Each structure stands twice: as C-alpha cells, then as structure tokens.
Amino acid sequence: MSVLDLDYMLGLVPILLSYLPLTLAMAAAGMVLALALACGLAVIRVLKIPGLNAATLLFISFFRGTPLLVQLFLFYYGLPQVLSFLTQIGGITATIMGLTLHFSAYMAESIRAAIVGVDRSQTEAALSIGMTNGQLMRRIVLPQATRVAVPTLMNYFIDMIKATSLAFTLGVTELMGATQKEAAGSFLYFEAFITVAVIYWGIVELLAWCQRRLEHRLNEAYRR
Amino acid sequence: MIKVHQLVKRFGDSTVLDGIDLEIERGEIIVVIGPSGTGKSTLLRCLNFLERPDAGRLTLGDLEVDVIRASRADILAARRRTAFVFQNYALFANKTALENIAEGLIVVNRWPREKAHARAREILERIGLADKADAYPASLSGGQQQRVGIGRAMAAQAEVILFDEPTSSLDPEWVEEVLGLMKQLAAERQTMLVVTHEMAFARDVADRVVFMEGGRIVEQGPPSRLFQAPEDPRTRDFLRKVLPDAPA
C-alpha cells in the first residue's frame, strides 16, 4: 500500500466540491452584509456622531476582542436560551450573523482609515468649486478611499472564506463538515484533510489573483 | 464687483483678520503682499467660506451676505461666485486633467458630460495642455498640475479667481510657466485676487497692490506708487526686506 490513497482522494474531490456552493454562499452573504454594516460604522466614526460613536466603539471593541468561535457559540447555543424567538435560528443563519458582526468590526476600521487618508486639500478643492458634502464624498473621497481599502478588504474576505469552516461546529455540513463525515467513514483522515486543505488553498489563490488584477486597475490613475 | 466689509476672523484667542475692507472692480487684478502669518491666505479662504468668518459682510456680484447669518445655500452661492487656486494644486487625484476641469461643470453646474468636456478641452488648449487631457495628476509636473488647477478655476466662470500663493510649492523651473498663464489671464481682464511673494509679478501685472500686516490692510495703491513711495513705515520695512533695491 502506498503512503497516500490517491484514488480515494480523487474520488473525494467531486463529493467535497458539491458542498463548496454552501461555503461560498455563506462567505458571500457575510461579506455583503459586513461591508454594508462596516460602511455605516465607518461613517459614524468619521463624522463622530454623538452617542452612536461611543456605541460603535464598544461594538468594535467587543467583536475584535473575542474569538469568532466564542461569538458563534454565543449566537447559536447561548442567545436562544435568553431570547426565545431565536430558537428558530439555524446553524447557517447563525454563522452568517457571526461572520457579519465579527468582520464588520475589523472592516469598519480599515474603511475609516481609508476615508480619513484622502488628502484633505482635495476636500477643500471640491468645496471651493461649490460641491455639496454628498457630492464630494461620492465623487472624490469614496473612489479614492476604495482604492486604499480594497487590498485589506479582500484579505478579510479571504479570511472569511476560511472562517466559514467553523460552521461545522454548529452542525452545518459545509466543506469542512462534509470532510469530517467522509473521513470518519473511511478512517483516511490524512487523505481527507489534505484534500480539503488543497481545495481551500485553491479558492484563496484564485481570489488573490482577482485581487491583484483589481488593484492593478484601481491604481491606473496613480502611475507616474 | 466684490466688496468686503469689516471682515473679522479669529482662531481661538488670536484675531487673524481684524476688520478688512476691500473693494475689487470687475476686471481688476489685485495682489496682496505682506509678511507670513498676517492673514493673507485666511482672507482668501474666508471669501469662499473654506474658513467661516466671525463677522463682516461680503458682496460677490449679485450675492450679498452677512457672514454670521450665512446659510448653507449662501455658502454654496458664495463658492459658485469665487474660484480658488491652491498653493499645493489640490487636483483630484482620481481624475484626469480633463476631468478635473470638467468636474465642477458636470456636478455643480449640471452641464451634460459632452458639453462640459468640450469646454474643458477649450480650456486645456488655452492653458497649453491639450496633449495632457487624459493624464492623471500623478504623471504631471508641478507646473502642469498648477496650470490644470488654474484651468479648473477658469471653468467655474466665477466673479473672481482667488490665487493662494500659486507658485510657492513649485520648483523654480516651473514658476515662470504658471506666472505666464496668470499674466495671460490678467491680459484678458479676468478679475483676480492674488496672494504671492512674487514681487516682480505684483509690480508688472497688478492694478493695485495691497499690503497687509497683523490682520489689517496697512496700505494699498498702484504698484508704481506703493513700490516707489510707500507711505507707511511698516510697508517700507517689508519692501526693504523683499526688494534689495527698494528706496530706503
């Protein structure tokens, strides 16, 4: 017998890939919601809206200060005990919720830094030609902030895809959960986990390639 | 016609503008000179509300505002009647030379894109940068960037263009091309209020030179008079420092 059961691994690939859509769907939903929430939090921080600013700081502190796994268990196992209507929540919803809140806390800070980083004199120039605050944000500040924020936000997205594997601890059969089940059936743990590792790795490399292309396009205006 | 009446601006405890009165006729070119930190730039920034003045009245063409009571609409109206050229150019880094000039026409004046771009091309022609229409600011020299900055101000068709030390950040090799463009505008009788340390420009181009010190206008007059026979000892003092051949 060889060291690696290659036939088993090749046979496992299509089985595991059939769970990939769920993994990607959770990450995509988490990313869209986290981005929306993070933009809101960043604007609150930039404009220092009284009251909301303090609440935002507390939110960011908590969700950056505690492990994602603790947060997921808190939502899935903990909260339903105190809020009875949450018994309806499934593992997938709880995972998306956890990913959204956890990553929005990190993303809010990078978006805020990107907005603040846009050269102040361009803001004055936009005001001097009679733009309103909204026009200046939309046409001058946000496009430039996006360019600065994209690399970090893409990194968070990559992190988030890997973090969906924690959903299996809430009983969700996604990519990781499926691997676990297959391995338990065949006892070929090494083959199973090296296969799933390669699948995650491949997705992340694909995204990193997209990220480089996107950054190249966004940097067009800044090449000398 | 521009009228500034008893304009006051304070930063904390220090009074930076201490009751400025100034009138500018249409087509007049006024150069403001004076030591650093005497409120010259602040005066310009107050005229289009980049700084909020603490007291005074402004008349900008058909707009008359008491600065304390100026509403958001008044401030936007004031900004549409003045155009600003910045010391550090302040071009929009995410937009080409053409787009920098057309931006205000599209967003503020609500012109259709094609019309705004056509006007921006005319302006690029006039500032001698027709071949740089699609270049981004990062790829332009300092002198070219400042000419685009002036082009952006020209597009606004404001009552007055305010120049805030437009050549102070430039390497010496680019100063002449920017001053040249400003002279060209002066020859076309574009109303201009210029803060600068370029005394030769003041002497050759200005209709009137204003000397400021300590937040006040100390003295003003045609350059021939002010440079040859300054009346106030503070003016004489300043000119002695900046013009080696000034009368003692």
Side-chain angles (χ1 to χ4, degrees), chain A residues 5 12 51 85 126 166 169 174 181 212 217:
Chain A
D5 190 338
L12 199 56
F85 66 90
L166 292 174
T169 62
E174 38 63 73
K181 280 186 184 156
R212 282 192 295 274
R217 249 195 53 196

Side-chain angles (χ1 to χ4, degrees), chain A residues 119-133 135-136 138-141 143-144 220-224, chain B residues 45 48 50 72 76 79-80 82-84 86 88 90-95 103-104 106-108 110 136 138-139 152:
Chain A
D119 177 16
R120 167 84 198 150
S121 71
Q122 291 183 45
T123 299
E124 291 198 332
L127 291 176
S128 82
I129 60 174
M131 282 198 207
T132 62
N133 282 321
Q135 291 169 335
L136 131 79
R138 248 192 347 272
R139 300 193 55 105
I140 308 299
V141 176
Q144 293 183 60
E220 223 164 325
Y222 301 86
R223 277 193 285 276
R224 280 158 195 279
Chain B
R45 294 169 60 82
N48 78 343
L50 285 178
R72 281 169 58 99
L76 279 181
R79 286 176 177 156
R80 285 166 198 192
T82 54
F84 209 101
F86 294 83
N88 64 351
L91 296 184
F92 305 130
N94 59 328
K95 302 203 174 281
E103 181 70 6
I106 295 170
V107 179
V108 178
R110 307 250 170 237
Y136 285 95
S139 68
R152 179 172 64 185

